[in-house]
Amino acid sequence: MRFAIDGLVLRESNTGENDKLLLILTASKGKIWVKAKGGRSIKNSKSALCRAFTYGEFELYDKNGTNFLSGGAPSNTFFAYKTDLEGYALATYICEICEEITGEEQDSEDVLRATLNAFYAIEKKLFPLPLIKAAYEIFAACVSGFAPELSLCSDCSKEMLNESGIFSLDVMNGGVLCKECLEKRNITPDLPDVDQFATKTILLPLDSSALMAMKYCSEAKVNRLFNFSITDQNSMNFFSKAAEIYLLNHLERGFNTLNFYKSVKD
């Protein structure tokens, strides 16, 4: 059976003497594995489709349950020259998140669109990289079924969106705690080690700007996911740390690509 489908190459690996194995994210079929015969040769007409971060139309045929690449055309090869190492490192992290939160034969249109929009924003430098990273992390958490409840204090149900000062994100319970409830618990927010998945209560400091950013990302339409700003650096730091730790703990795993991004960033 032959068919054509649009998709984004999340991962490429060498196989055989001159072939490649591609992991492609599609809107309607989720993740699919595709074998590209001769895909490692620059003389092969299909080689342009056999690179990570390439979006395009893939012409495939199925043989004994394996998809083979027969042709197609790239629409956009993101980061082809890798001139911005920090942006490239962030894209690799986003790809690994994307691979984690999607499956085979699964509607992945929103994830595909969000990932393409993130790549475009990184490549064109439309928004600060920490904002793109944190917004995508909150989006990924929500897609995975871990959307936080940020409007009300999870203890006393106080409206939180007009609160000022410093309060806390309750990571494992997916809620937020007001200052008064924190005082009643006699708890001071701290920044835990992110490898301690689901082993204790994790409370992270937030201010009103960071809270609003998290709420925006958890509710925004895909095409508007990155369309906001945080002007205060402390608020950005709160938002960035909270988004990362929230996702890692709910997925219960770390990412080598995140370590790579941090090493490049630092």
Side-chain angles (χ1 to χ4, degrees):
M1 180 182 71
R2 294 181 176 271
F3 63 100
I5 194 166
D6 291 344
L8 172 69
V9 179
L10 298 180
R11 180 151 52 101
E12 57 175 290
S13 57
N14 295 334
T15 183
E17 293 185 359
N18 203 30
D19 303 334
K20 279 195 174 184
L21 187 63
L22 310 176
L23 179 61
I24 300 174
L25 181 67
T26 70
S28 59
K29 290 182 176 293
K31 293 184 298 189
I32 58 174
W33 289 97
V34 174
K35 189 171 184 178
K37 286 187 169 295
R40 292 158 64 182
S41 172
I42 59 174
K43 296 179 180 180
N44 191 304
S45 61
K46 301 188 291 285
S47 63
L49 286 163
C50 298
R51 302 184 185 120
F53 313 123
T54 296
Y55 177 73
E57 182 185 59
F58 296 81
E59 296 172 1
L60 310 175
Y61 66 92
D62 181 293
K63 183 178 180 181
N64 298 325
T66 299
N67 293 312
F68 288 88
L69 180 66
S70 61
S75 300
N76 198 325
T77 302
F78 295 96
F79 319 112
Y81 302 103
K82 304 183 179 68
T83 53
D84 182 348
L85 184 56
E86 186 178 341
Y88 172 76
L90 177 55
T92 65
Y93 172 50
I94 287 175
C95 262
E96 194 172 8
I97 294 174
C98 184
E99 184 176 341
E100 174 70 20
I101 65 175
T102 54
E104 298 179 15
E105 297 298 332
Q106 173 183 312
D107 184 349
S108 300
E109 181 176 359
D110 283 350
V111 177
L112 177 60
R113 289 174 59 202
T115 305
L116 290 171
N117 289 347
F119 286 176
Y120 184 81
I122 293 169
E123 190 171 63
K124 301 301 182 182
K125 303 183 187 302
L126 300 182
F127 309 102
L129 294 184
L131 183 148
I132 297 171
K133 171 181 174 290
Y136 193 92
E137 287 167 333
I138 294 299
F139 166 80
C142 293
V143 166
S144 302
F146 304 115
E149 171 49 60
L150 302 172
S151 298
L152 304 174
C153 172
S154 57
D155 274 12
C156 70
S157 299
K158 176 193 291 185
E159 289 277 354
M160 292 298 300
L161 299 183
N162 295 320
E163 286 287 289
S164 59
I166 304 296
F167 27 92
S168 282
L169 176 69
D170 185 347
V171 172
M172 300 315 301
N173 291 318
V176 63
L177 294 169
C178 68
K179 292 176 291 185
E180 291 75 14
C181 288
L182 281 173
E183 291 173 0
K184 289 178 184 177
R185 293 191 186 190
N186 196 26
I187 292 176
T188 300
D190 62 354
L191 295 179
D193 294 332
V194 298
D195 60 346
Q196 296 177 356
F197 297 118
T199 59
K200 66 175 184 178
T201 298
I202 301 175
L203 299 176
L204 301 179
L206 291 177
D207 63 9
S208 57
S209 294
L211 176 67
M212 289 300 295
M214 289 193 70
K215 184 170 175 59
Y216 175 86
C217 294
S218 68
E219 298 176 351
K221 294 182 178 179
V222 173
N223 63 344
R224 303 287 296 174
L225 180 60
F226 308 109
N227 288 45
F228 67 99
S229 63
I230 299 180
T231 56
D232 182 76
Q233 187 58 51
N234 285 333
S235 299
M236 186 66 238
N237 292 341
F238 287 149
F239 174 51
S240 179
K241 194 73 174 182
E244 178 183 305
I245 293 179
Y246 190 84
L247 178 66
L248 296 184
N249 278 275
H250 281 285
L251 294 183
E252 298 185 357
R253 59 158 295 182
F255 294 89
N256 290 332
T257 50
L258 175 58
N259 298 331
F260 172 51
Y261 169 72
K262 288 183 175 181
S263 71
V264 170
K265 184 174 182 294
D266 296 339

